[in-house]
Amino acid sequence: MIRELRRWARKHSARGRYTPVGVTFHWVMAALVIYQLIAGWRLERLDVGAARMGAYADHSAMGLLILLLAILRGIWRLMIPGPINDADEPGWQSDVAHLTHILFYTLFALLPLSGWAMWSAITPSEPLALAGVLPIPPMPFGSLSIEWKLRILEAAEKAHGIGIIALALLVPMHIGAALKHHFWDRHDVLEGMLPEIPNSRSHPQGLQHAPLPPEAGTAPIDG
């Protein structure tokens, strides 16, 4: 099966493009990350109460969904390598790109896990629900003392805060680098990650224009 998938993927990578699966992973996760940054900013401005707890539960559940997608995307990348494009030429830009991917995956793990730890440390009455569907139990902090729960909560909050700052800086840097590669360097990086729009119109080969009527005073034009 993996061999067949790789053969299918080579049809895309040979043209410098990622597979539709890879493209879907990228843009769905990008949308979720931006949504999470905005939702987290709004969450901090809600008053303490049921509305804030509900928003926090939704925020945490969405973060766990990002973690799941990151794991699935990592597995997909291990099975199906991406294309070799202009940005893969040896040099500092390639090194920075690889480091950026490592940082993104690190944050995709750090932020959901620290948020899950924060939720678990406050002893919630209801479990989280992954994407609002799959119940996720809290981390096993129930038997710990209040003092230890507060320590875990404080450490998780610090880790989460650092992760948010790093992600908020990394996202515009990543977007800026992609635009630089596309418009300044004329590289094919961005084009390879954009969704491919199939051309459904038929274009018969050898079609010629019909000759103009005699009164037009012109000779037929070959296409």
Side-chain angles (χ1 to χ4, degrees), residues 211-221:
L212 294 175
E215 60 268 23
T218 58
I221 302 174

Side-chain angles (χ1 to χ4, degrees), residues 171-213:
V171 167
M173 288 174 58
H174 183 63
I175 295 174
L179 295 177
K180 173 186 176 295
H181 277 294
H182 185 73
F183 292 105
W184 183 268
D185 300 323
R186 301 297 182 180
H187 288 168
D188 59 352
V189 182
L190 182 59
E191 293 178 1
M193 187 55 77
L194 290 175
E196 192 169 15
I197 302 175
N199 189 352
S200 60
R201 298 183 60 185
S202 61
H203 298 276
Q205 297 295 324
L207 180 65
Q208 295 182 336
H209 294 287
L212 294 175

Side-chain angles (χ1 to χ4, degrees), residues 14-143:
R15 297 183 290 116
R17 300 191 59 84
Y18 288 86
T19 65
V21 176
V23 172
T24 300
F25 268 128
H26 179 273
W27 292 109
V28 169
M29 292 184 65
L32 289 176
V33 166
I34 294 174
Y35 169 81
Q36 282 290 83
L37 289 173
I38 297 173
W41 179 82
R42 295 181 60 187
L43 172 61
E44 291 298 320
R45 281 147 185 80
L46 293 176
D47 295 330
V48 176
R52 178 165 180 157
M53 288 299 294
Y56 183 65
D58 293 340
H59 184 69
S60 300
M62 195 64 70
L64 292 174
L65 176 60
I66 292 176
L67 174 60
L68 175 61
L69 291 176
I71 294 173
L72 294 176
R73 185 183 183 188
I75 295 173
W76 177 260
R77 286 296 299 271
L78 290 175
M79 294 193 307
I80 311 296
I84 303 299
N85 51 39
D86 297 332
D88 290 313
E89 296 180 359
W92 68 269
Q93 293 189 83
S94 178
D95 294 337
V96 170
H98 291 138
L99 177 60
T100 299
H101 280 90
I102 293 174
L103 290 175
F104 266 123
Y105 277 95
T106 301
L107 293 173
F108 291 157
L110 173 66
L111 286 168
L113 291 177
S114 59
W116 187 14
M118 291 163 59
W119 175 263
S120 304
I122 62 177
T123 315
S125 58
E126 297 181 1
L128 297 174
L130 180 62
V133 178
L134 181 63
I136 302 296
M139 292 182 176
F141 301 153
S143 60

